[in-house]
């Protein structure tokens, strides 16, 4: 049957080259998909229908893989698929963005996916459809938080696009509000002078005293001596009002 199609293709190829291409495709379909590999099918079934069924099966498997972790995205980080791909490293380890020149840009791209178009080298979150940002996905969120300061890593370090970085900030704040992630408050050691109330400015008001001429009510007022040059400038500015 394939030989008969070759003879027909040679005859029609002399008349119109455009007729040769679909015949070659049909011939390749026959060679790639033998009938014995699909039991129960007639040998006269069109190969295009068989390829459509195979493509549908592949699309269904891909859709099931995507929906597998949609409701529980944290299960992906404990699966064998994740361990084989990332091991014990975070998802952004070893990522390098494609850019011109030796100096990387100061900001990451706004988004990796615009409609149906995907950039050449998506960020660590956009390149893996199973990595889903969720406030309960604690193990994923901890990969983007510094264990020493509790601050979220800058996107220039992780390579995450600005759209996913915004989602990370929202998910981390929501996770902290729900108690899944702790608030890390830096420890500051205060001295006793910071809490002292013995200074006259913050202490209790002293009782009235018998004042003499030239003395001030509070001692700290007497220590302030204005600059003569500054006083002269003020007098010159408001000379018309000082009489």
């Amino acid at each position: 049957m394939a030989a008969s199609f070759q003879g027909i293709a040679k005859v029609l190829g002399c008349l119109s080259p455009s007729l040769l291409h679909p015949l070659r495709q049909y011939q390749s379909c026959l060679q790639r998909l033998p009938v014995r590999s699909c039991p129960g099918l007639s040998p006269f079934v069109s190969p295009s229908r068989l390829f459509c069924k195979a493509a549908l099966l592949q699309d269904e498997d891909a859709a099931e893989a995507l929906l597998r972790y949609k409701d529980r995205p944290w299960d992906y980080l404990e699966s064998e698929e994740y361990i084989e791909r990332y091991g014990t490293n975070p998802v952004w380890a070893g990522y390098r963005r494609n850019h011109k020149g030796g100096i990387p840009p100061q900001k990451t791209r706004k988004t990796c996916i615009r409609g149906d178009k995907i950039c050449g080298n998506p960020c660590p979150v956009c390149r893996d459809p199973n990595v889903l940002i969720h406030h309960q996905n604690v193990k994923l969120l901890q990969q983007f938080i510094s264990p020493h300061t509790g601050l979220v890593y800058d996107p220039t370090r992780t390579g995450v696009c600005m759209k996913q970085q915004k989602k990370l900030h929202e998910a981390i704040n929501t996770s902290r509000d729900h108690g899944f992630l702790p608030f890390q408050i830096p420890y500051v050691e205060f001295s006793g002078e910071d809490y002292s109330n013995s200074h006259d400015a913050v202490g209790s008001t002293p009782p009235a005293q018998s004042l003499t001429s030239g003395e001030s009510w509070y001692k700290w007022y007497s220590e302030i001596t204005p600059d003569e040059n500054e006083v002269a400038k003020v007098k010159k500015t408001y000379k018309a009002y000082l009489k």
Side-chain angles (χ1 to χ4, degrees):
M1 185 176 181
S4 62
F5 276 107
Q6 288 180 356
I8 297 172
K10 289 180 181 179
V11 175
L12 296 178
C14 298
L15 299 176
S16 177
S18 60
L19 298 175
L20 187 61
H21 181 67
L23 291 173
R24 286 180 177 175
Q25 284 186 341
Y26 188 74
Q27 181 182 357
S28 62
C29 292
L30 292 175
Q31 294 176 355
R32 293 179 183 177
L33 189 64
V35 178
R36 64 173 179 272
S37 62
C38 300
L41 295 177
S42 174
F44 299 102
V45 176
S46 174
S48 59
R49 297 180 61 184
L50 298 178
F51 275 120
C52 291
K53 292 182 179 179
L56 289 174
L57 292 176
Q58 292 179 357
D59 294 341
E60 290 178 357
D61 295 339
E64 290 179 359
L66 292 176
L67 296 176
R68 189 183 310 165
Y69 306 105
K70 183 177 181 181
D71 297 332
R72 298 175 59 88
W74 47 88
D75 291 344
Y76 175 62
L77 277 76
E78 299 178 356
S79 62
E80 297 180 357
E81 182 181 358
Y82 176 85
I83 296 173
E84 291 178 359
R85 183 168 184 178
Y86 301 102
T88 58
N89 299 323
V91 295
W92 52 268
Y95 174 80
R96 184 181 183 277
R97 177 187 171 186
N98 295 338
H99 57 83
K100 296 181 180 179
I103 301 176
Q106 299 299 320
K107 292 183 179 180
T108 57
R109 61 174 66 93
K110 293 183 179 180
T111 180
C112 300
I113 303 174
R114 297 179 183 271
D116 297 336
K117 296 182 180 179
I118 304 176
C119 63
N121 187 17
C123 71
V125 179
C126 294
R127 68 183 177 183
D128 193 347
N130 293 325
V131 176
L132 302 175
I133 298 176
H134 194 271
H135 68 275
Q136 294 183 359
N137 198 355
V138 179
K139 290 185 177 181
L140 178 64
L141 299 179
Q142 286 177 346
Q143 297 179 4
F144 295 90
I145 301 176
S146 174
H148 307 290
T149 61
L151 300 176
V152 183
Y153 286 132
D154 193 81
T156 56
R157 178 177 181 179
T158 58
V160 178
C161 62
M162 302 306 297
K163 181 179 180 180
Q164 299 294 343
Q165 183 73 10
K166 183 179 179 181
K167 291 183 179 180
L168 278 171
H169 279 284
E170 295 176 354
I172 290 172
N173 292 333
T174 305
S175 182
R176 286 173 174 171
D177 293 339
H178 286 73
F180 296 107
L181 287 175
F183 287 93
Q184 190 165 357
I185 302 174
Y187 173 75
V188 180
E189 185 177 357
F190 296 95
S191 60
E193 298 178 355
D194 298 329
Y195 296 98
S196 175
N197 58 357
S198 60
H199 195 272
D200 295 336
V202 296
S204 59
T205 305
Q209 301 176 359
S210 58
L211 300 178
T212 59
S213 60
E215 293 183 358
S216 59
W217 180 269
Y218 296 105
K219 295 183 295 182
W220 56 87
Y221 286 156
S222 61
E223 299 175 357
I224 301 175
T225 56
D227 189 3
E228 297 180 359
N229 296 329
E230 296 294 334
V231 173
K233 290 180 181 179
V234 173
K235 288 182 178 180
K236 185 178 180 180
T237 304
Y238 299 98
K239 183 178 179 180
Y241 303 95
L242 298 175
K243 294 182 180 179

